[in-house]
Amino acid sequence: GYSTLERASIRPTLDVNGIWGGYIGEGAKTVLPAKAFAKISMRLVPDQDWKEITALFKRHFEKIAPDAVTVQVKPHHGGYAYVTPIDNDGFKAASKAYEQTFGKTPIPQRSGGSIPIVSLFEKELKSKIILMGFGLDTDAIHSPNEHFGIWNYLKGIETIPYFYKYFTALKEEE
């Protein structure tokens, strides 16, 4: 019931990052593996507690496993979702900075990603966090062919000082 954009950006995900087990060398083997493994990650959304979701995931997999199968879930780390507000001075300053260097007013778009430290920064610093990106969808972030163009890098260097300029001006108006 959700659009492709919603599913790719604002909905929770469960991603299978890899599956392996049994004989993986060259040539054929007709053996049944004694063990199989999967690496799974999840993107959470606001109001989801990563510890609770981990426990629910673990319980579900233990419940659906056949009696002859032992399931072991090893959590790695977790983090809370974060949504950058678009009605505060930080966002307004970032928007003006992008407009200054790119010549176009940015259109806010929610997109999913996992940067667990961001919500912790907000909690500890008691300040809203602004994430300013300069990459493109075609940069293939986190893939084997990940790249970042020099033009985007230089535009980032050009944009950040404007952010500080506009942010300071907005704070002085208060």
Side-chain angles (χ1 to χ4, degrees):
Y2 294 95
S3 71
T4 299
L5 180 59
E6 289 169 321
R7 289 191 313 274
S9 62
I10 64 171
R11 301 295 304 155
T13 66
L14 186 143
D15 304 302
V16 178
N17 308 124
I19 300 174
W20 65 99
Y23 179 75
I24 57 172
E26 287 192 34
K29 287 276 188 202
T30 56
V31 295
L32 297 176
K35 294 182 178 182
F37 303 87
K39 187 168 278 197
I40 296 170
S41 63
M42 295 175 218
R43 179 179 68 219
L44 305 184
V45 296
D47 300 324
Q48 285 186 309
D49 182 312
W50 71 268
K51 293 174 187 169
E52 179 184 352
I53 298 299
T54 300
L56 289 167
F57 175 83
K58 181 179 186 299
R59 206 170 349 182
H60 177 70
F61 265 75
E62 291 170 344
K63 180 181 173 185
I64 65 171
D67 291 339
V69 174
T70 301
V71 172
Q72 184 179 14
V73 175
K74 293 182 185 177
H76 291 277
H77 64 82
Y80 296 97
Y82 185 78
V83 176
T84 301
I86 61 173
D87 61 351
N88 70 7
D89 289 342
F91 183 85
K92 292 173 187 173
S95 182
K96 288 176 87 168
Y98 279 117
E99 189 170 351
Q100 179 73 39
T101 55
F102 287 89
K104 297 196 182 291
T105 303
I107 299 169
Q109 176 183 333
R110 259 178 89 170
S111 63
S114 298
I115 311 173
I117 195 76
V118 176
S119 58
L120 182 61
F121 278 162
E122 179 181 286
K123 178 183 172 195
E124 295 300 321
L125 299 174
K126 297 178 181 24
S127 176
K128 293 296 179 189
I129 307 300
I130 303 301
L131 302 172
M132 295 176 68
F134 298 96
L136 303 173
D137 289 342
T138 56
D139 289 344
I141 300 301
H142 302 305
S143 76
N145 296 326
E146 178 178 16
H147 61 280
F148 184 69
I150 298 294
W151 186 87
N152 299 77
Y153 178 73
L154 295 174
K155 277 305 208 183
I157 291 171
E158 185 182 344
T159 305
I160 297 298
Y162 284 115
F163 167 77
Y164 289 122
K165 173 185 173 182
Y166 295 130
F167 185 76
T168 302
L170 288 166
K171 287 299 179 190
E172 288 174 355
E173 291 175 12
E174 290 180 358

